[in-house]
Amino acid sequence: MATTDDGYMRFFPFEEPYDHQREAMGTIYDALDEGQDVLFEGACGTGKTLASLVPALEHARETGKTVVITTNVHQQMRQFVEDARAITDQERLRAVVFRGKGSMCHIDVDYEECQALRDTTRDLVEVESDIAELEQREGELLSDGQAGSSEAMEARNAVVEELRDLQDEREDIETERSTCDHYYRNLTVDTSEFYAWLFDDVRTPDDVYEYAHQQGLCGYELLKEGMDGVDLVVCNYHHLLDPTIREQFFNWIGRDPEDIIAVFDEAHNVESAARDHARRTLTENTLDQALEELDGEEDARTDAAANVIETFRDALVEAYEDAFEFGARAAVDEHWDDITIANDDRKDDLTLAFLQGYTGPGFHEELDRALELGRDLDARYQEAFKKGELDTRKECQTLQAAGFIADWLDESDDTGQYPVVSVRRDESTDEVYGRAELYTCIPEEVTRDLFEDLHAAVLMSATLRPFDVTENVVGVEDPVTMAYGAQFPEERRRTYAVDGPALFSSERDDPQTQQRIARTLEDIVRFTPGNTLVFCPSYSEAERYHDMTAVSATRYLDEPGTQARDLREAFTDGDDGVLYTSLWGTLGEGVSYDGDDARTVVVVGVPYPHLDDRMDAVQDAYDVAFGEDEDDAGWRYAVEIPTVRKTRQALGRVVRSPDDFGARILLDKRYTEAAEMEMHDYAVRGTFPPEERREMVDIGPEKLKFSLLNFYQDMDAYDGPPPKP
């Protein structure tokens, strides 16, 4: 380890940091000392993880805080574990890698059932403990009584009576109520050996599961109970972005939010992840189940609850049935399809149908009664499961339905919440049913409270700029910002902006355009000495160019719903293949193609996402929120910047080390410098960071093969004679 006056260097696991890495660590350490958030963009090779983690761990050690590092990319989770292990080899850490209960449960029950099982199991253990104490006391009193103490014999009789009652209670729990054998062992055996093993290294959730399985323990609960006051937690986004999970998670760590330093990896994904965690849905099936639950329930509140829930259910059906055009119902399949219900000048169609269909003393009053009844029913189900009267922990559908309806009526006209109705076909019954959804347009409504409550956060990514947009979208106030471009030798990479067809959606089906793209791709594959990655705007276009290109290389096609890992392994095992995929799939970020795994990466077109009603709603919400400061804020924030970030992520799949080399190709004239003047409204080059724009070489499609030939010859990359142009 390097000799330095910087205390945080004790957590740096290698000999010397890069100069930029040392600078970044100093900047982050100072920011954390001031309680400031950090936006940190660094290209591949910057060492972002250690540059963030090292000063965060030092500040946490000095101030009694905990560092939580989180990602939504599985490969990065594995990298975090490796980095944490390297750190703890030289500076001891108490680190925990945490994953959701569903992937660690030995008996496969949901959270509510698990909670009820834990409560009953704890009751059993407490009764057994009381019995053991009374048995010991009874024995002592018996000895005293046999020695002649009448008071002891009288006291013993009282203890024996109490003991019988407890034994009856134990028998009742064992025979009539549900418990968990794994959790029972957690509470009744010495677990110190487990915790010694856990903190002797950085253990993965799979490690914990296997260890606990061998010992008959519940590893998930042991992990939760061992997290109190640890130095470092590695986890998934939802542990921080879901408000309910976050509160429990911090309780397990034993820290208040102001004692947490959060490091978000791949932070450009926080926007979409927060939006996903904020979405709320209610299906027609749940409404039907709520009405069945209420049917026959003898409670004065039942009629009110049934009235408001049935009215909403009927309004949901009316909303989607009225929206169906001729033949549309028959075309509904097993996937959720959105139906437009929002209106510019009045409430949405579902709310209007509800208000028009409702009759009663007042839906707010009846909703309040439905919520009260739902809470009482839910508590009853909890108690019944604990007592063993129910085999599984029953969910209260009335509570779910009433809670959602209350939110819908309160929030569906909020510009930040977009009301949606979707339909799908039940494959088992062949019936069409609907779903209502409140879709959160502006993630800041979810994330601002989080960033305000934490001591500080470091948001890091290779594609986080423009920083002002990130600040606005996720609600980070006055952060420290820093960006480091590519650190590897520039002469070992080329970035080409090809002046080929502009693949507007209206032109993608033009046969002449398709032929020009296919011929250019053939040149790229032919002159690449190794594997080629081709990212298209969609899976359908990936399939199109997979079928249209005539190449000698082995062709691989990524398709929706297939196992991408197996495909990637097959592709990288060879050295002369071409993989066609969607930029919006799983292979565009968080996956490294080191060295021979891939030499050239191509982005075909400007791969804007599908512009549906939801995306329009997000644009409108951003226009309202940020339009005063910037023209076209909605389009820029919601569409253009996320698309360019995805494109930059795709380009970063190759050239992953100082010794690596490769070509990155943007195949669409909108990336060229000329487009900035000739088609200003459609050009996207200006959205890239300046140092990346400087590296872009504008080139015609017919000249691209010559440039690739020269570059790869300079790299001495061809085995044998190079291909002839």
Side-chain angles (χ1 to χ4, degrees):
M1 190 178 81
T3 302
T4 176
D5 294 332
D6 298 323
Y8 50 75
M9 287 302 296
R10 59 178 164 162
F11 291 105
F12 191 77
F14 304 115
E15 190 67 23
E16 281 285 349
Y18 304 123
D19 290 343
H20 67 271
Q21 198 175 28
R22 185 187 294 276
E23 179 182 73
M25 286 190 286
T27 301
I28 292 172
Y29 180 81
D30 291 342
L32 297 179
D33 204 39
E34 295 295 327
Q36 287 184 278
D37 297 322
V38 178
L39 301 182
F40 177 16
E41 178 174 300
C44 176
T46 309
K48 296 185 294 294
T49 300
L50 287 177
S52 301
L53 198 52
V54 164
L57 288 169
E58 176 64 19
H59 182 78
R61 180 70 60 86
E62 293 171 349
T63 57
K65 302 186 190 315
T66 291
V67 178
V68 176
I69 186 165
T70 179
T71 184
N72 67 336
V73 179
H74 291 304
Q75 180 166 305
Q76 288 303 106
M77 185 79 76
R78 292 191 291 271
Q79 183 61 50
F80 292 165
V81 172
E82 292 179 11
D83 289 339
R85 284 174 173 164
I87 292 171
T88 199
D89 281 345
Q90 70 174 37
E91 182 69 27
R92 298 307 298 170
L93 286 176
R94 294 176 71 241
V96 167
V97 184
F98 198 74
R99 197 162 61 194
K101 189 199 80 66
S103 62
M104 296 187 67
C105 183
H106 298 267
I107 59 175
D108 193 24
V109 296
D110 64 26
Y111 183 81
E112 295 293 339
E113 288 186 55
C114 180
Q115 184 177 29
L117 286 170
R118 291 198 312 271
D119 292 344
T120 307
T121 305
R122 194 178 296 108
D123 290 344
L124 175 61
V125 171
E126 289 174 357
V127 168
E128 289 180 338
S129 177
D130 291 342
I131 288 173
E133 290 181 9
L134 286 178
E135 287 177 338
Q136 181 178 352
R137 178 61 177 156
E138 188 268 339
E140 294 170 351
L141 290 171
L142 178 61
S143 296
D144 292 345
Q146 290 173 341
S149 172
S150 59
E151 293 86 352
M153 291 304 293
E154 186 175 343
R156 175 181 176 272
N157 290 336
V159 168
V160 168
E161 186 66 26
E162 186 178 355
L163 190 56
R164 288 197 189 102
D165 290 341
L166 285 173
Q167 288 169 338
D168 288 343
E169 184 178 350
R170 177 180 62 185
E171 183 178 358
D172 176 66
I173 294 174
E174 290 176 335
T175 59
E176 301 295 333
R177 298 167 67 181
S178 302
T179 59
C180 175
D181 292 340
H182 293 83
Y183 188 57
Y184 179 86
R185 284 185 56 79
N186 283 16
L187 299 176
T188 56
V189 304
D190 182 6
T191 57
S192 58
E193 184 176 334
F194 168 82
Y195 289 112
W197 168 84
L198 178 67
F199 293 120
D200 186 53
D201 199 348
V202 180
R203 310 294 185 181
T204 68
D206 290 336
D207 295 336
V208 172
Y209 180 93
E210 289 301 323
Y211 183 99
H213 181 71
Q214 293 172 7
Q215 303 297 321
L217 299 165
C218 176
Y220 178 75
E221 291 298 323
L222 288 174
L223 202 56
K224 279 169 46 180
E225 292 162 13
M227 290 170 64
D228 188 44
V230 295
D231 301 300
L232 174 66
V233 182
V234 180
C235 65
N236 295 313
Y237 270 6
H238 65 263
H239 291 107
L240 293 183
L241 294 181
D242 186 298
T244 302
I245 296 175
R246 178 167 71 239
E247 182 177 0
Q248 296 172 332
F249 185 61
F250 289 168
N251 286 336
W252 298 334
I253 301 174
R255 302 289 194 196
D256 293 326
E258 59 265 27
D259 294 319
I260 297 289
I261 301 166
V263 179
F264 285 84
D265 182 58
E266 304 293 351
H268 62 282
N269 288 324
V270 168
E271 175 184 359
S272 59
R275 194 176 283 127
D276 288 341
H277 281 89
R279 66 196 293 265
R280 286 160 289 171
T281 63
L282 178 68
T283 68
E284 184 180 333
N285 290 348
T286 299
L287 289 162
D288 288 338
Q289 291 163 7
L291 293 171
E292 290 175 9
E293 184 177 56
L294 293 169
D295 186 29
E297 186 69 36
E298 295 182 1
D299 189 287
R301 299 165 291 185
T302 300
D303 289 344
N307 184 42
V308 74
I309 291 173
E310 185 171 18
T311 303
F312 193 84
R313 186 259 183 208
D314 292 344
L316 173 60
V317 174
E318 180 181 336
Y320 71 71
E321 289 289 358
D322 287 352
F324 280 141
E325 297 180 355
F326 179 76
R329 168 181 266 277
V332 175
D333 59 18
E334 70 276 11
H335 302 103
W336 285 111
D337 287 325
D338 290 352
I339 290 176
T340 302
I341 62 165
N343 299 297
D344 293 334
D345 56 348
R346 62 188 189 279
K347 292 183 178 294
D348 64 89
D349 293 343
L350 172 52
T351 302
L352 289 174
F354 174 82
L355 295 176
Q356 292 165 1
Y358 175 79
T359 57
F363 63 81
H364 287 299
E365 175 187 338
E366 292 198 321
L367 264 176
D368 288 342
R369 303 192 77 187
L371 286 166
E372 290 174 2
L373 176 57
R375 295 187 191 101
D376 290 346
L377 289 174
D378 195 58
R380 186 199 303 172
Y381 299 155
Q382 170 83 353
E383 187 63 24
F385 181 69
K386 287 176 62 176
K387 291 181 177 179
E389 297 169 4
L390 296 173
D391 293 334
T392 59
R393 205 296 191 177
K394 187 176 179 181
E395 295 290 332
C396 181
Q397 307 301 324
T398 298
L399 182 59
Q400 289 192 36
F404 179 88
I405 295 169
D407 289 343
W408 180 278
L409 297 174
D410 286 343
E411 301 178 25
S412 58
D413 57 353
D414 179 354
T415 57
Q417 301 292 326
Y418 181 62
V420 181
V421 165
S422 307
V423 292
R424 66 176 294 189
R425 189 176 299 279
D426 187 323
E427 292 182 298
S428 62
T429 65
D430 201 39
E431 295 294 326
V432 172
Y433 67 103
R435 178 185 70 183
E437 176 183 350
L438 281 171
Y439 181 69
T440 299
C441 295
I442 302 181
E444 175 200 12
E445 297 180 5
V446 180
T447 54
R448 180 175 291 278
D449 288 345
L450 168 63
F451 292 124
E452 288 179 349
D453 290 345
L454 296 172
H455 170 72
V458 180
L459 285 76
M460 62 180 187
S461 169
T463 57
L464 207 54
R465 286 179 285 177
F467 288 135
D468 61 326
V469 174
T470 300
E471 291 178 43
N472 290 335
V473 167
V474 302
V476 178
E477 291 286 348
D478 193 28
V480 173
T481 62
M482 55 183 173
Y484 295 92
Q487 301 299 310
F488 306 142
E490 186 174 342
E491 63 271 14
R492 299 185 69 81
R493 63 180 181 269
R494 291 290 184 275
T495 306
Y496 299 104
V498 180
D499 188 17
L503 287 180
F504 296 108
S505 58
S506 60
E507 298 182 17
R508 290 176 185 169
D509 293 329
D510 181 349
Q512 187 175 1
T513 297
Q514 293 172 9
Q515 286 295 328
R516 292 182 66 192
I517 296 296
R519 301 295 81 79
T520 304
L521 288 173
E522 289 171 356
D523 285 345
I524 293 169
V525 174
R526 184 179 172 218
F527 285 88
T528 294
N531 289 339
T532 303
L533 276 167
V534 179
F535 290 99
C536 297
S538 66
Y539 283 111
S540 62
E541 289 185 77
E543 182 178 11
R544 169 185 293 161
Y545 291 112
H546 167 273
D547 295 343
M548 286 185 66
T549 48
V551 294
S552 60
T554 304
R555 292 177 300 162
Y556 300 87
L557 176 63
D558 183 20
E559 298 177 280
T562 59
Q563 179 53 260
R565 179 185 298 178
D566 294 342
L567 177 67
R568 179 186 177 277
E569 289 179 357
F571 171 64
T572 56
D573 282 347
D575 59 5
D576 187 23
V578 51
L579 171 59
Y580 301 83
T581 184
S582 167
L583 189 83
W584 299 95
T586 59
L587 298 175
E589 61 179 89
V591 181
S592 295
Y593 295 85
D594 303 319
D596 292 334
D597 286 352
R599 283 293 171 214
T600 298
V601 58
V602 189
V603 176
V604 178
V606 180
Y608 291 124
H610 177 58
L611 301 180
D612 54 15
D613 288 345
R614 291 176 190 250
M615 187 58 67
D616 289 342
V618 172
Q619 290 185 64
D620 291 343
Y622 282 159
D623 272 330
V624 171
F626 310 118
E628 291 184 4
D629 301 323
E630 182 175 347
D631 293 336
D632 296 325
W635 170 262
R636 185 165 178 264
Y637 280 41
V639 181
E640 183 170 293
I641 288 172
T643 298
V644 169
R645 283 175 174 162
K646 291 289 288 186
T647 301
R648 294 175 63 207
Q649 285 283 333
L651 295 183
R653 295 314 91 204
V654 301
V655 192
R656 307 288 295 182
S657 71
D659 296 328
D660 204 355
F661 60 91
R664 296 96 61 88
I665 299 172
L666 298 164
L667 184 46
D668 190 298
K669 69 185 339 177
R670 287 171 288 180
Y671 293 109
T672 65
E673 188 173 16
E676 295 288 305
M677 297 296 295
E678 297 172 6
M679 46 192 313
H680 180 266
D681 290 342
Y682 303 103
V684 295
R685 190 185 187 113
T687 307
F688 287 78
E691 73 277 8
E692 294 182 16
R693 295 199 300 268
R694 285 194 294 269
E695 285 195 29
M696 293 181 185
V697 178
D698 287 4
I699 194 169
E702 70 284 350
K703 296 181 179 179
L704 179 60
K705 59 185 176 182
F706 298 101
S707 189
L708 287 173
L709 174 63
N710 292 334
F711 169 68
Y712 282 122
Q713 280 186 312
D714 289 343
M715 294 296 104
D716 195 22
Y718 294 110
D719 292 330
K724 295 182 179 179

